[in-house]
Amino acid sequence: MNAPALSPARCGDCPIRHRAVCARCDADELNELDAIKYYRTYEAGQPIIWAGDVMTFVGSVVSGIATLTQTMEDGRTQMVGLLLPSDFVGRPGREGAAYDVAATTDVVMCCFRRKPFEELMERTPHIAHRLLQMTLDELDAAREWMLVLGRKTAREKIASLLSIIARRDASLTRRGATSRMVFDLPLTREAMADYLGLTLETVSRQISALKRDGVIELEGKRHVTVPDMHRLMEEAGDDSDGVFLG
Amino acid sequence: MNAPALSPARCGDCPIRHRAVCARCDADELNELDAIKYYRTYEAGQPIIWAGDVMTFVGSVVSGIATLTQTMEDGRTQMVGLLLPSDFVGRPGREGAAYDVAATTDVVMCCFRRKPFEELMERTPHIAHRLLQMTLDELDAAREWMLVLGRKTAREKIASLLSIIARRDASLTRRGATSRMVFDLPLTREAMADYLGLTLETVSRQISALKRDGVIELEGKRHVTVPDMHRLMEEAGDDSDGVFLG
DNA sequence: CGGGGATTTGACGTCCTTCAATCGACGTGG
DNA sequence: CCACGTCGATTGAAGGACGTCAAATCCCCG
């Protein structure tokens, strides 16, 4: 409803400056990007791109959260990506979109017209390298998620999702990861189900169960407190050894 | 057991020359790669890299088939990648291996010592660009697989795997995709189960069911004939429209 | 011909889905 | 101000798809 925060005028002021595809660009390169970029906002729930559509732009999520989903003919859907600020949308060199992209919260995108961006990338190794890095990170995340989808129980799936959201939230807000964590769920139960390959009923039941067992606490439907991250990560079936917490 | 085919001496003779990470390299760049490359063979069933090990090399699969798998503490495993000839192993910029890599058939790898390769990549956009392309393809494949893992039934999973193997086989042997297809399964039932997030018993049952229903024919345990690819792809739950067959 | 791993098949259990009813929060209109 | 509709979420009951455990069979190879 209310207008999202105004777009940063200059790349120098951009909140995702140091994490996005432009992270390694120097001043000259930023100027080139500036020439082909524009900001665009989407309201929560609105589609950003439909699978199969011609991509007129690629770009970065500046603020808000978007999802990548695939849908089968009979309507079954699977989320295949969760896009947070600084994540990149679109594939250079490809004309059509491969997945549906939708805003789950209000979203601000920093868009680059596709053709100019592709040309710029051809002659700007800083951009290509950064995009490669980001793509490799996404591939790792996708593979992590394949383990979740293929082998974990419903309870472990929920715990895994909560732990990932907590982690990402910590890295975005720069509050850092601690034993006790508090955050808001950016997804509906249905979106969580689509992410996890479950039904929304199962999601709801497992969240209730985790609450009953004291693994999490809830205020309202979306505000989550994790009293003990180690406990949550054990529930997720992950290596509980210090990889994450200090 | 028996020694695999000898390694190609020159990149010019390499069977994966036009598809691998070096696909876009010119003669000079190939010479540089030549200086840091060596061939290595692995027997069927042997590990290539263990997760967590220091990667001393990265490289391309020249022939044979390898798998990428993740394992949980309690032993549950999920395959997260199937490596065919020309596929790349290893992540530039990362010291430790993230996944177990193992040879499922006899495998020949074209290895590059990691540090020199990373340096070479820094100053060789042809390599970086090709690797970006290949990584984006892998990411697409991983996302396709997330739909399979999260939303498809056991029967659809098997049909999906068969259809993918048939397709890849067609593209490798250059026989092209036709309505009737014949190929060998490169995976045990257990490996198929690990790929699909199923048990080997369920894999076996569903293969029997597809045979009973005339979707596939079997000679021995591994040799598969698909009388009608369209039918198989319908069973896989994919868009059956001409995307694939002529 | 014999041994052993891979595969198939059967019986049974269980985790998750399906179908359905209810609840709570919120916004709208009477 | 309150009734009402909507939407997300919770909860229950019943059924089914897949997993588990166990035994038999098939083949590959010595």
Side-chain angles (χ1 to χ4, degrees):
Chain A
M1 284 303 124
N2 45 4
L6 285 178
S7 318
R10 298 288 173 93
C11 290
D13 305 332
C14 182
I16 58 168
R17 168 75 182 85
H18 55 300
R19 305 191 62 196
V21 70
C22 51
R24 294 181 173 183
C25 291
D26 57 32
D28 286 350
E29 290 161 352
L30 281 187
N31 281 336
E32 290 209 70
L33 280 174
D34 245 326
I36 58 170
K37 90 165 192 245
Y38 56 96
Y39 292 98
R40 194 159 164 195
T41 66
Y42 300 85
E43 288 180 14
Q46 292 308 111
I48 296 177
I49 303 161
W50 293 110
D53 282 2
V54 173
M55 298 275 300
T56 59
F57 66 89
V58 298
S60 303
V61 176
V62 176
S63 66
I65 292 182
T67 61
L68 242 58
T69 59
Q70 284 195 90
T71 304
M72 294 172 65
E73 297 156 275
D74 61 7
R76 282 176 281 176
T77 68
Q78 174 66 49
M79 198 182 300
V80 296
L82 190 57
L83 301 172
L84 300 194
S86 83
D87 283 341
F88 188 78
V89 177
R91 171 168 177 167
R94 170 183 287 164
E95 177 125 16
Y99 313 101
D100 295 326
V101 185
T104 66
T105 65
D106 288 349
V107 164
V108 178
M109 294 272 310
C110 172
C111 307
F112 308 104
R113 289 183 293 121
R114 188 166 62 85
K115 273 293 175 198
F117 182 85
E118 287 173 8
E119 287 159 21
L120 181 54
M121 207 185 74
E122 285 294 327
R123 55 177 203 277
T124 314
H126 281 165
I127 297 179
H129 267 108
R130 177 66 188 140
L131 188 55
L132 174 58
Q133 240 182 30
M134 292 173 71
T135 306
L136 286 164
D137 284 342
E138 274 191 271
L139 186 56
D140 278 349
R143 285 174 167 160
E144 198 66 42
W145 213 254
M146 288 172 71
L147 176 65
V148 173
L149 288 172
R151 293 303 185 190
K152 291 193 178 179
T153 65
R155 169 183 266 243
E156 288 170 335
K157 284 180 175 182
I158 298 290
S160 297
L161 179 56
L162 292 176
S163 124
I164 283 186
I165 291 173
R167 219 170 314 180
R168 289 194 160 185
D169 190 74
S171 94
L172 280 175
T173 60
R174 307 179 165 283
R175 257 188 271 106
T178 56
S179 173
R180 179 184 193 83
M181 301 202 66
V182 182
F183 56 91
D184 282 312
L185 284 175
L187 301 175
T188 65
R189 299 288 185 264
E190 185 177 17
M192 295 176 69
D194 282 345
Y195 207 142
L196 296 169
L198 297 171
T199 61
L200 65 90
E201 292 94 330
T202 299
V203 170
S204 183
R205 271 185 260 271
Q206 295 300 334
I207 288 181
S208 298
L210 289 174
K211 186 169 83 176
R212 209 169 36 244
D213 299 344
V215 181
I216 60 174
E217 293 154 19
L218 279 182
E219 271 176 88
K221 308 300 186 187
R222 298 291 195 90
H223 193 76
V224 179
T225 300
V226 179
D228 179 1
M229 273 301 288
H230 274 303
R231 173 78 194 285
L232 182 64
M233 291 173 69
E234 275 172 29
E235 292 285 356
D238 292 340
D239 274 343
S240 51
D241 322 323
V243 193
F244 172 44
L245 296 175
Chain B
M1 284 303 124
N2 45 4
L6 285 179
S7 317
R10 298 288 175 96
C11 289
D13 306 331
C14 181
I16 58 168
R17 169 74 182 83
H18 55 298
R19 305 191 63 196
V21 70
C22 51
R24 292 181 174 184
C25 290
D26 57 32
D28 286 350
E29 290 160 351
L30 280 188
N31 281 337
E32 289 208 71
L33 280 174
D34 245 325
I36 59 171
K37 88 165 193 247
Y38 57 96
Y39 292 98
R40 195 160 162 194
T41 66
Y42 301 86
E43 288 179 13
Q46 293 306 112
I48 296 177
I49 303 161
W50 294 110
D53 282 3
V54 172
M55 298 276 299
T56 60
F57 66 90
V58 298
S60 303
V61 175
V62 176
S63 65
I65 292 180
T67 61
L68 242 59
T69 60
Q70 282 196 93
T71 304
M72 294 172 65
E73 297 156 274
D74 61 7
R76 284 176 280 176
T77 70
Q78 174 66 49
M79 198 182 300
V80 296
L82 190 56
L83 301 172
L84 299 193
S86 85
D87 282 341
F88 189 78
V89 177
R91 171 169 176 169
R94 170 182 287 164
E95 177 127 16
Y99 312 101
D100 295 327
V101 185
T104 65
T105 64
D106 287 351
V107 164
V108 178
M109 294 272 309
C110 172
C111 306
F112 308 104
R113 289 182 294 122
R114 187 167 63 86
K115 273 293 175 197
F117 182 86
E118 286 173 8
E119 287 159 21
L120 181 55
M121 207 184 74
E122 284 295 326
R123 56 176 202 276
T124 314
H126 281 166
I127 297 180
H129 266 107
R130 177 65 188 142
L131 188 56
L132 174 58
Q133 240 183 28
M134 292 173 70
T135 306
L136 286 164
D137 285 341
E138 273 190 90
L139 185 56
D140 278 347
R143 285 174 167 160
E144 197 67 42
W145 212 255
M146 288 172 71
L147 175 65
V148 172
L149 288 172
R151 292 303 185 191
K152 291 194 178 180
T153 65
R155 167 183 267 243
E156 289 168 335
K157 284 180 175 181
I158 298 289
S160 297
L161 179 56
L162 293 176
S163 125
I164 284 186
I165 291 173
R167 218 170 314 180
R168 289 193 160 186
D169 191 72
S171 96
L172 280 176
T173 59
R174 304 175 169 287
R175 256 188 274 108
T178 57
S179 173
R180 179 184 193 83
M181 301 202 64
V182 182
F183 56 91
D184 283 312
L185 285 175
L187 301 175
T188 65
R189 299 288 186 264
E190 186 177 17
M192 294 175 69
D194 282 345
Y195 206 141
L196 296 169
L198 297 171
T199 60
L200 65 89
E201 293 95 330
T202 299
V203 170
S204 182
R205 271 186 260 271
Q206 295 299 336
I207 288 181
S208 299
L210 289 175
K211 186 169 83 176
R212 209 169 36 243
D213 298 345
V215 181
I216 60 174
E217 294 154 19
L218 280 183
E219 272 174 88
K221 306 298 185 189
R222 297 293 194 89
H223 192 75
V224 179
T225 300
V226 179
D228 179 2
M229 274 302 287
H230 273 303
R231 174 79 193 285
L232 182 65
M233 292 174 70
E234 275 172 27
E235 292 284 355
D238 293 339
D239 273 343
S240 50
D241 321 324
V243 193
F244 172 43
L245 295 176

